[in-house]
Amino acid sequence: MKIAAVRSARVRTPLTRPYAIAGGAWDAAEFVTIEIETEDGLRGYGHASPAEEVTGESIDAAERELAPERLAALIGMDHRRFDHVFEALYADVRGPAARAAVDAALFDLDAKRVGRPLVERLGRAHQGFLTSVTIGVKDVAATLDEAAEYFGRGFRALKVKTGVDLGEDVRRLTRLRETFGRDFLLRADANQGYDLRALAAFAPELDRLDIEFLEQPCPPDDDDALRTLPADVRRRLVADESMHDASDLRRLGGRDAPFGAVNIKLMKCGGVAPALRLATGAANEGLGVLWGCNDESVVGIAASLHAALASRATRYLDLDGSLDLADDPFQGGFALTNGFMTTLNLPGLGAEPR
């Protein structure tokens, strides 16, 4: 079961639904796919979808790191000797998204070798979860129109991007609750768009509008200041841009923790293996886990889903990053029924090239 070849390709695809958040707007997704093939023809897949504004890793950097010549040390290695292969990965590949691509492909290979879905190989903790679907920053009418479409498609959890205009944020969320009642779980994500004063003004809306959580309300520099908020508010906050690695867990945990949960993304932390370690660490710190994503192919979403369903710390899913790709190079990866996301009963990640 030696690795015989490594291939990669850079892919750009338009989004069928461009979106805006506090701090930026996007109309296309770009990522690097990777294929690792063994001597007997088994193939594992992964991809890198970096967010330069969060981790500092650019798509150009990921493409360089995943070039076959950069991964030459993997050729000839027995991929069943996971420890040795992962040592080579972390020695030779820089950048969390690039590492996540190789990590996913190796896990895909390993589970395919034994003919089982990856989550079963890891140890399943959950059968599935509702995933939220995201509405970007837009006016009230457009927000309601998009929500109605998602409702018609069976989704029952919305994550609404906020953080540009506090008053408009409250109006949008209020109208959503008035229009749909309790038919939707409502979540909000400010992407660092609030200062502490705006957050204090928004906090009463968490209860009034029954908002499940507010993700990353303020920049990471304000994390310690969040400890002064009432405990019932802090429990409804989720760290995203503030959360990357184990050192962040130690900083965000403990007494008067500023957040009740953390967002773990494979593209931020380096793949399935480090993500599962972080999830265990989060649970030890008394924090829940939201599994999130960037704009990603189904192969990346599948890797996140398998990890999420193998972790007892999982509390929420926000794995909608492939739904608006105009031309996904992969297919399969997961089943989605009325917003409930589960893995496929296929070996590995269950995602294959189109």
Side-chain angles (χ1 to χ4, degrees):
M1 285 293 190
K2 291 183 178 179
I3 294 172
V6 179
R7 306 176 186 93
S8 63
R10 182 165 171 167
V11 177
R12 180 180 175 86
T13 177
L15 298 176
T16 59
R17 193 191 303 271
Y19 67 94
I21 66 172
W26 286 264
D27 61 5
E30 196 164 18
F31 38 85
V32 182
T33 64
I34 186 170
E35 175 186 273
I36 299 178
E37 184 175 5
T38 63
E39 289 177 335
D40 60 351
L42 203 61
R43 296 178 180 181
Y45 301 100
H47 88 161
S49 179
E52 188 171 6
E53 68 278 8
V54 177
T55 65
E57 180 187 17
S58 68
I59 188 69
D60 290 337
E63 183 180 31
R64 288 193 299 271
E65 292 300 306
L66 295 176
E69 60 270 20
R70 285 281 292 121
L71 299 177
L74 297 179
I75 304 299
M77 298 190 76
D78 188 335
H79 80 88
R80 293 171 299 183
R81 302 187 66 188
F82 248 43
D83 290 346
H84 294 276
V85 180
F86 273 91
E87 284 176 9
L89 163 61
Y90 286 101
D92 294 341
V93 180
R94 295 167 295 184
R99 285 176 170 173
V102 183
D103 168 286
L106 291 171
F107 272 109
D108 192 25
L109 275 178
D110 183 66
K112 284 175 175 174
R113 178 178 62 84
V114 297
R116 303 176 68 192
L118 175 59
V119 65
E120 308 297 348
R121 183 78 165 145
L122 296 171
R124 183 184 290 274
H126 312 279
Q127 288 302 313
F129 271 93
L130 277 179
T131 183
S132 46
V133 63
T134 304
I135 296 180
V137 174
K138 54 187 62 181
D139 63 30
V140 171
T143 296
L144 293 175
D145 285 346
E146 190 169 337
E149 178 194 328
Y150 289 139
F151 187 79
R153 290 165 59 183
F155 288 99
R156 293 298 179 264
L158 290 180
K159 190 171 87 168
V160 181
K161 293 291 189 177
T162 64
V164 174
D165 181 318
L166 176 62
E168 185 73 355
D169 294 342
V170 173
R171 284 189 289 274
R172 294 168 67 215
L173 291 163
T174 299
R175 288 294 306 280
L176 281 168
R177 193 52 90 200
E178 290 173 348
T179 303
F180 295 97
R182 293 301 187 270
D183 289 337
F184 275 125
L185 291 172
L186 279 186
R187 303 166 176 178
D189 182 1
N191 287 110
Q192 312 177 68
Y194 295 147
D195 58 20
L196 293 170
R197 180 177 297 182
L199 173 57
F202 185 87
E205 308 300 333
L206 294 171
D207 280 331
R208 184 178 76 86
L209 297 174
D210 191 18
I211 296 171
E212 195 172 19
F213 62 73
L214 172 62
E215 192 172 346
Q216 197 66 44
C218 304
D221 288 347
D222 290 332
D223 286 348
D224 282 341
L226 298 181
R227 296 179 188 274
T228 64
L229 295 171
D232 61 332
V233 173
R234 287 184 278 116
R235 281 195 295 269
R236 305 269 277 278
L237 303 182
V238 176
D240 183 3
E241 288 88 344
S242 292
M243 171 63 207
H244 296 86
D245 54 30
S247 65
D248 289 321
L249 277 182
R250 292 189 292 271
R251 179 175 60 83
L252 298 176
R255 188 169 177 268
D256 298 328
F259 299 94
V262 294
N263 184 325
I264 294 179
K265 295 178 181 174
L266 272 57
M267 298 300 139
K268 287 194 300 183
C269 70
V272 171
L276 287 172
R277 290 194 295 270
L278 286 177
T280 299
N284 291 339
E285 293 288 348
L287 300 169
V289 173
L290 162 68
W291 293 83
C293 60
N294 298 334
D295 291 320
E296 301 186 29
S297 169
V298 296
V299 73
I301 299 299
S304 297
L305 179 62
H306 282 263
L309 298 185
S311 171
R312 296 193 179 279
T314 300
R315 190 181 298 172
Y316 315 107
L317 286 191
D318 182 39
L319 296 180
D320 62 340
S322 67
L323 300 184
D324 291 328
L325 299 185
D327 187 19
D328 195 323
F330 288 87
Q331 59 187 340
F334 54 85
L336 187 61
T337 305
N338 293 329
F340 192 80
M341 184 173 273
T342 58
T343 54
L344 299 176
N345 189 27
L346 294 171
L349 296 175
E352 297 291 334
R354 289 188 182 276

